[in-house]
């Protein structure tokens, strides 16, 4: 309806936009990682035990509930959503969540919808993901040797992941490879991974193994400081420091010889908390404000208590007000215990 020229123009304010989520240290929360399942078709040795007990279905948020919660976060200033797990692509009907969340890309409320996957289901889903506005995927891959791959993942099939990578690139998705650096396991393969990834126009990020879950003593021995890996790589390559800050734990260099980007995620040797802009939601609706701390908030109860979002918004605000300044991962060598008892598949990697 348009007003005539003679009528006074009355400016009516629309509903006030909800204020963004800012923690007590002034960090705006703009990035939400959402684990949509604790299940996975792999059993990576540093991530899960072989006989993992999974959650009963009734404890999981439905896809509609996940969409509702994500939408609340988007309305409160989250600009980037990363879907993870467990393995996100093994959750039944997961494409419907991507489809519904893609409306926030369309409206401009969200800058990025992305996912972290082991790649096993990418051949099936890459085209659909691209259709829902996903532009980039992180694929976790620690080795290019099929036997080693089987050892690390226990159940994984490297050929299937390679088909997934082909499909992702064919669908136009930018791929970043995430590789956990493991002493005595794949440390001799880092250069091969680098040349391979950059040769295929994929970024590579190396991750220090973190003491999460009930780690076996050997896991502690597999810790490989990335400072050492970087020093070794610097003997062969020219690593030009990049200023690409994601608010996350990765620091990037450009490898002059390959032209590709290489990231280092060093939670054990580098404190990256000062710029942390993220929180993590589990598939049961628990919000972790810090990967390396136990404090968490239950969002499922307020979500299910009413159809309106007031209660859950209040619970989110209360949680963000408790976001800690930083984390402290320590491997307790005397007692062989990790600092954080939950597995990565629980928090969502
Ligand atoms: N299934 C998906 C995948 O493979 O990427 C998403 C979940 S997985 C838990 C996310 C990432 O966490 C993977 O790159 C995995 O290697 C990493 N991860 C799991 N446990 C870890 C640990 N203890 N230390 C370091 N990285 C870990």
């Amino acid at each position: 309806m348009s007003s005539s020229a003679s009528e006074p123009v009355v400016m009516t304010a629309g509903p006030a936009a909800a204020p963004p989520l800012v923690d007590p240290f002034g960090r705006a929360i703009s990035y939400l990682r959402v684990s949509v399942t604790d299940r996975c078709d792999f059993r990576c040795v540093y991530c899960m035990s072989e006989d993992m007990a999974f959650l009963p279905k009734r404890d999981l948020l439905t896809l509609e509930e996940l969409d509702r919660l994500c939408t609340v976060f988007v309305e409160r200033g989250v600009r980037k959503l990363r879907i993870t797990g467990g393995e996100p692509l093994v959750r039944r009907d997961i494409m419907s969540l991507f489809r519904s969340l893609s409306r926030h890309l369309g409206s401009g409320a969200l800058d990025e919808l992305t996912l972290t996957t082991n790649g096993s289901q990418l051949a099936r889903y890459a085209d659909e993901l691209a259709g829902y506005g996903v532009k980039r995927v992180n694929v976790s891959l620690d080795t290019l040797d099929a036997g080693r791959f089987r050892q690390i993942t226990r159940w994984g099939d490297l050929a299937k992941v390679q088909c997934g990578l082909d499909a992702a690139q064919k669908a136009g998705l930018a791929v970043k490879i995430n590789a956990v650096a493991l002493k005595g396991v794949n440390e001799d393969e880092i250069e091969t991974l680098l040349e391979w990834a950059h040769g295929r126009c994929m970024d590579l990020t190396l991750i220090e193994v973190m003491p999460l879950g009930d780690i076996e003593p050997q896991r502690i021995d597999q810790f490989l400081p990335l400072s050492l890996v970087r020093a070794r790589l610097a003997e062969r390559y020219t690593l030009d420091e990049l200023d690409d800050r994601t608010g996350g734990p990765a620091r990037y260099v450009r490898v002059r010889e390959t032209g590709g980007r290489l990231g280092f995620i060093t939670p054990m040797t580098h404190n990256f908390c000062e710029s942390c802009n993220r929180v993590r939601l589990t598939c049961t609706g628990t919000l972790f404000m810090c990967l390396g701390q136990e404090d968490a908030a239950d969002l499922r109860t307020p979500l299910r208590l009413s159809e309106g979002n007031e209660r859950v918004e209040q619970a989110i605000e209360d949680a963000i007000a408790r976001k800690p300044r930083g984390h402290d991962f320590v491997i307790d060598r005397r007692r062989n215990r990790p600092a954080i008892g939950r597995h990565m598949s629980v928090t969502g990697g």
Side-chain angles (χ1 to χ4, degrees):
M1 229 195 317
S2 61
S3 58
S4 78
S6 57
E7 280 170 351
V9 178
V10 181
M11 302 290 284
T12 50
L21 300 164
V22 179
D23 78 4
F25 305 98
R27 297 169 298 190
I29 306 305
S30 56
Y31 181 9
L32 177 67
R33 298 172 71 101
V34 186
S35 174
V36 294
T37 177
D38 60 334
R39 288 166 199 257
C40 188
D41 50 345
F42 292 0
R43 290 288 180 280
C44 296
V45 289
Y46 46 74
C47 187
M48 288 190 182
S49 56
E50 194 156 16
D51 56 346
M52 288 289 284
F54 292 110
L55 295 161
K57 225 171 152 197
R58 65 175 177 280
D59 287 357
L60 299 193
L61 296 181
T62 64
L63 293 173
E64 291 72 22
E65 287 171 329
L66 282 164
D67 178 72
R68 198 175 137 204
L69 262 183
C70 289
T71 300
V72 170
F73 275 97
V74 170
E75 285 166 355
R76 297 299 300 270
V78 159
R79 306 285 313 173
K80 174 171 172 178
L81 284 176
R82 180 179 295 281
I83 307 300
T84 179
E87 171 48 40
L89 297 183
V90 301
R91 173 125 189 205
R92 201 162 162 201
D93 205 19
I94 188 64
M95 285 303 115
S96 69
L97 181 65
F98 280 95
R99 184 174 55 236
S100 69
L101 290 175
S102 69
R103 73 188 185 282
H104 299 306
L105 292 170
S107 75
L110 193 63
D111 293 329
E112 186 167 22
L113 175 60
T114 184
L115 73 152
T116 294
T117 172
N118 64 25
S120 71
Q121 311 297 315
L122 267 180
R124 184 169 165 205
Y125 289 127
D127 282 334
E128 244 180 299
L129 288 168
Y132 296 139
V134 173
K135 299 239 176 317
R136 304 190 293 167
V137 289
N138 286 357
V139 178
S140 305
L141 179 63
D142 305 331
T143 176
L144 294 170
D145 177 284
R148 214 177 249 187
F149 186 78
R150 176 59 67 139
Q151 272 173 7
I152 295 174
T153 62
R154 291 198 185 104
W155 298 0
D157 175 0
L158 180 63
K160 223 171 151 190
V161 173
Q162 279 168 328
C163 288
L165 288 171
D166 292 341
Q169 290 195 299
K170 200 155 159 248
L173 300 174
V175 177
K176 178 160 81 73
I177 300 293
N178 283 339
V180 176
L182 298 163
K183 189 162 140 194
V185 178
N186 65 355
E187 67 176 308
D188 60 344
E189 219 187 318
I190 307 277
E191 285 183 18
T192 311
L193 276 166
L194 176 81
E195 298 275 351
W196 167 79
H198 289 180
R200 289 186 58 150
C201 297
M202 304 186 292
D203 288 346
L204 172 69
T205 295
L206 301 172
I207 307 175
E208 267 174 5
V209 70
M210 288 179 268
L212 301 174
D214 304 319
I215 46 173
E216 303 147 23
Q218 108 200 46
R219 207 73 54 232
I220 297 174
D221 297 336
Q222 284 176 352
F223 175 66
L224 177 62
L226 288 186
S227 49
L228 187 68
V229 174
R230 186 175 169 151
R232 281 186 201 155
L233 287 173
E235 288 172 13
R236 168 119 187 249
Y237 300 98
T238 322
L239 309 178
D240 293 324
E241 203 76 48
L242 291 174
D243 209 22
D244 308 2
R245 294 283 161 106
T246 59
R251 293 290 172 267
Y252 291 97
V253 296
R254 173 87 51 203
V255 181
R256 217 180 286 171
E257 290 75 6
T258 62
R261 228 163 57 119
L262 172 66
F264 299 92
I265 298 186
T266 55
M268 305 290 290
T269 54
H270 186 270
N271 192 315
F272 50 81
C273 303
E274 67 281 354
S275 58
C276 181
N277 59 354
R278 62 196 58 195
V279 288
R280 295 175 150 83
L281 182 68
T282 71
C283 54
T284 57
T286 301
L287 187 73
F288 283 95
M289 288 72 85
C290 172
L291 180 62
Q293 302 269 6
E294 299 283 9
D295 188 26
D298 167 34
L299 301 185
R300 188 180 59 191
T301 305
L303 189 77
R304 288 184 175 170
L305 270 175
S306 66
E307 281 179 18
N309 288 335
E310 297 75 22
R311 287 175 201 254
V312 78
E313 284 203 45
Q314 188 59 54
I316 293 171
E317 280 173 25
D318 294 347
I320 300 302
R322 302 202 308 271
K323 184 169 162 67
R325 184 190 285 273
H327 70 228
D328 188 18
F329 285 119
V330 181
I331 291 181
D332 184 337
R333 285 179 187 277
R334 266 173 313 151
R335 284 177 294 169
N336 269 353
R337 274 204 337 222
I340 295 295
R342 63 182 188 271
H343 289 263
M344 193 71 150
S345 56
V346 173
T347 322

